[in-house]
Amino acid sequence: MKIIDPAHPFYKPLWRRVVITAVVAGMLVFELLVGKDGFWIVITGALLAYTAWILLISWKDDPPP
């Protein structure tokens, strides 16, 4: 089971993928500055790595027709 389905049309625009990744990065910064709980820092960091990998790094656009 995938958390993010890259085949879903919602994720096609680049700006949406960047905003989602930036929000998760903001959550990580918040946890680092305010939370100070190692468990949530690790969880949020893993989620950031996952979203960056799925939505930005390994993204493959459909070839033009």
Side-chain angles (χ1 to χ4, degrees), residues 22-37 40-41 44:
V23 167
V24 176
M27 290 169 44
L28 179 60
V29 169
F30 176 79
E31 286 297 331
L32 288 170
L33 296 176
V34 178
K36 307 288 188 202
D37 186 5
W40 288 112
I41 292 172
T44 311

Side-chain angles (χ1 to χ4, degrees), residues 1 3 10 12 17 21 25-26 37 39-40 52-53 57 60-61 63-65:
M1 181 177 124
I3 297 172
F10 177 80
K12 189 160 181 74
R17 299 189 315 256
T21 306
D37 186 5
F39 176 76
W40 288 112
W53 177 258
I57 298 169
K60 292 181 178 60
D61 283 327

Side-chain angles (χ1 to χ4, degrees), residues 10-26 48 51-52 55-56 59:
F10 177 80
Y11 299 111
K12 189 160 181 74
L14 175 63
W15 70 269
R16 284 188 185 155
R17 299 189 315 256
V18 170
V19 166
I20 291 168
T21 306
V23 167
V24 176
L48 176 61
T51 56
L55 296 178
L56 300 177
W59 185 264

